[in-house]
Amino acid sequence: MGLILMGLMGGMNAQNGFNMPYSQFGIGLPDMPYDLPIANRMGGVVYTLSGDNFINPFNPASYGSIGMESFVFDMGANIQLTRLQNNDKKVNDADGNITHLAFGMPITKWWKIGGGLTAYTSVDYASVSQGMYLDSSIIKTVYDGTGGVNTAFIGSAFNILGDKIGDRRLQVGFNINYLTGRIQRAITYSFQGIDSTHYKPSRRYKETKVGNVTFDLGLQYWEPLGEKYTLGVGLTYKPYRKMDVTDIALIYTFYTSDQSLADTIFPAVGESSEFTSTLEQDHTFGIGLSFERNDRWRVAADATFSGWADMKYTEGVNPPIMGQSAVTTGPYSRYALGFEKIGVMDASTYWGRISWSAGVHTEQGALRLMLDGKEQVINSWGVGLGATLPMRKGRSLLTLSVGYRSFGNKDLLQRNSVTIGISVSSCERWFVKRKYN
């Protein structure tokens, strides 16, 4: 397995798509929360963010801040510029995506709901490696994978203490998440210089279908400190979940001339190509603290702890269709620190109404790979900047963000990316009863 990532690096020069070698493991590579401009602008700080005119899906308690008589619709997109490099080579790539669609609205004075769709993981890689075989003939191996997983979520928040901004306030909430997506992976072996009568090219193919439910719990609490300052606390919890996913696999040899099937290796005669694998989400805890000079500035910090990062995938057949996985599990943590200068809504100039933000983050144990008999811990760090511009009419917002993230190291493979994001949060008064004279 130690040669796989290097082979991926070596084959990228011929690729036209967005190549993410680390996405070959598990159910793909997540970029959350940095995909969403609301998080990217403050370096990944999310647990204490709350407002009446935007949606924060990372802490469902935040929906409790949605104003009465309001309907909030939030959507965003980003462009990601990426450089992959090791000690010998480097290559640049780019891609753009819709990041999220979300909405929020009140049901009662104390009950608000939110929901939407976000990307969860992406799989997109293709590469070629070559090796020597027995009589010095060459084996050419092609790795490729596409697909990903999205999250559809619906949640509720409840105002337990207070319902006005500035009051002592406690909000609790939950999300029900539906993970859905398909991932296709293949490894193709071809031989050069070997008698094709005895050695035929072969292919390993697997499609993973994800359709599972997870849950989030959240809490946000604000305590006024005198007349000018507020201390905020945000808590989130994801419970342990072990879930089944469906895999369909095929291993076969084929004729080079017309790509037709020569012999099926898996499944065996009379057996099904479909089998069940598992995903495991460990207990995940998040805590955030914020200190705010009311309507002027805020400082916020987040910490996240889990037994491993994201989902652990275990293939349901032995030996594994795609070979022994190089992924191992271990303690995961994420830390983020952000600052925001809050715009003054009644400022005499438009520039005075703009909010400016910045932040930094680090991830420890974001991915662990067992390569050449040694465990390699893949860490990550990054920074983010942003501006939140109020629309000239109403309470709608335009958020612009730019973030830098470094993942891995040059001795193995380093992924450096710049993510430029934009989101529009439309906040309209939908539930007002008009009065006429």
Side-chain angles (χ1 to χ4, degrees):
M1 288 300 296
L3 298 176
I4 292 180
L5 286 177
M6 296 304 180
L8 288 165
M9 184 68 190
M12 284 187 297
N13 293 325
Q15 302 305 319
N16 297 318
F18 193 60
N19 204 312
M20 301 185 296
Y22 285 116
S23 71
Q24 67 176 301
F25 303 110
I27 58 170
L29 184 67
D31 280 320
M32 301 292 279
Y34 317 110
D35 268 2
L36 271 63
I38 185 179
N40 196 28
R41 70 188 180 94
M42 291 187 70
V45 170
V46 291
Y47 296 137
T48 56
L49 294 184
S50 185
D52 64 347
N53 53 358
F54 65 88
I55 304 299
N56 174 16
F58 302 105
N59 189 337
S62 67
Y63 310 151
S65 296
I66 296 171
M68 291 300 297
E69 304 173 347
S70 297
F71 181 86
V72 181
F73 179 76
D74 205 333
M75 67 177 296
N78 67 23
I79 296 174
Q80 191 172 85
L81 310 174
T82 298
R83 169 170 287 184
L84 296 169
Q85 61 184 23
N86 58 19
N87 291 320
D88 301 319
K89 299 179 181 179
K90 64 179 63 174
V91 63
N92 298 320
D93 220 330
D95 193 24
N97 292 288
I98 301 295
T99 60
H100 68 286
L101 299 170
F103 75 93
M105 59 184 290
I107 301 299
T108 68
K109 187 176 182 179
W110 50 269
W111 177 20
K112 318 293 173 59
I113 65 170
L117 179 68
T118 65
Y120 183 63
T121 66
S122 297
V123 175
D124 194 352
Y125 63 90
S127 66
V128 178
S129 67
Q130 294 188 150
M132 305 301 291
Y133 184 79
L134 295 180
D135 60 354
S136 297
S137 297
I138 295 175
I139 298 179
K140 180 180 178 182
T141 307
V142 178
Y143 305 88
D144 63 272
T146 59
V149 178
N150 296 319
T151 302
F153 66 94
I154 186 72
S156 288
F158 307 93
N159 296 73
I160 306 301
L161 299 174
D163 57 5
K164 295 181 180 179
I165 295 176
D167 285 354
R168 184 179 182 182
R169 180 172 61 179
L170 171 65
Q171 298 173 175
V172 296
F174 66 87
N175 271 342
I176 301 173
N177 312 299
Y178 181 67
L179 307 181
T180 180
R182 294 186 178 217
I183 299 167
Q184 297 86 29
R185 289 189 169 94
I187 304 176
T188 303
Y189 307 94
S190 59
F191 304 91
Q192 301 176 24
I194 296 178
D195 182 0
S196 61
T197 302
H198 300 93
Y199 300 95
K200 291 184 174 62
S202 64
R203 181 175 292 120
R204 296 170 175 262
Y205 171 83
K206 183 176 67 174
E207 179 178 6
T208 302
K209 300 178 182 178
V210 177
N212 302 99
V213 176
T214 65
F215 307 93
D216 299 46
L217 302 175
L219 176 150
Q220 290 184 333
Y221 173 75
W222 291 266
E223 178 66 31
L225 303 177
E227 296 182 356
K228 295 183 178 180
Y229 299 96
T230 301
L231 177 67
V233 178
L235 300 174
T236 64
Y237 171 63
K238 296 181 180 180
Y240 174 84
R241 290 274 293 155
K242 186 173 183 178
M243 300 161 283
D244 291 339
V245 296
T246 300
D247 278 324
I248 298 175
L250 186 64
I251 303 176
Y252 61 95
T253 59
F254 59 92
Y255 296 104
T256 305
S257 57
D258 58 2
Q259 300 291 305
S260 61
L261 187 145
D263 188 31
T264 299
I265 301 170
F266 179 92
V269 177
E271 295 184 356
S272 174
S273 61
E274 183 176 302
F275 57 92
T276 299
S277 298
T278 61
L279 290 180
E280 289 181 84
Q281 173 184 272
D282 197 21
H283 300 283
T284 304
F285 302 89
I287 181 171
L289 296 174
S290 67
F291 182 71
E292 180 177 332
R293 167 65 160 87
N294 299 343
D295 302 323
R296 291 295 182 270
W297 53 261
R298 72 167 59 94
V299 178
D302 282 2
T304 307
F305 306 98
S306 183
W308 55 80
D310 304 299
M311 294 285 183
K312 180 169 67 175
Y313 169 83
T314 304
E315 195 170 87
V317 295
N318 192 23
I321 298 297
M322 309 306 285
Q324 184 64 44
S325 175
V327 177
T328 63
T329 60
Y332 165 79
S333 59
R334 183 178 74 88
Y335 305 93
L337 175 66
F339 172 82
E340 181 174 22
K341 187 262 180 197
I342 303 172
V344 180
M345 295 308 295
D346 58 356
S348 58
T349 65
Y350 181 75
W351 288 103
R353 298 172 60 195
I354 298 175
S355 296
W356 304 92
S357 53
V360 298
H361 67 84
T362 180
E363 293 185 45
Q364 306 297 317
L367 186 65
R368 293 166 182 263
L369 303 178
M370 186 62 68
L371 301 175
D372 300 328
K374 295 179 62 178
E375 184 182 65
Q376 299 276 349
V377 180
I378 309 300
N379 298 323
S380 170
W381 68 272
V383 299
L385 299 170
T388 302
L389 291 72
M391 302 297 189
R392 292 188 179 275
K393 294 182 180 180
R395 294 174 293 149
S396 300
L397 302 173
L398 175 68
T399 299
L400 305 174
S401 70
V402 58
Y404 171 84
R405 188 183 182 203
S406 180
F407 187 89
N409 58 74
K410 291 183 181 179
D411 291 335
L412 183 60
L413 179 63
Q414 189 173 57
R415 177 178 182 248
N416 298 322
S417 59
V418 174
T419 302
I420 302 169
I422 180 172
S423 68
V424 177
S425 179
S426 174
C427 183
E428 305 293 340
R429 296 172 65 88
W430 276 25
F431 306 103
V432 179
K433 294 183 179 179
R434 303 292 182 181
K435 295 182 179 181
Y436 298 93
N437 294 328

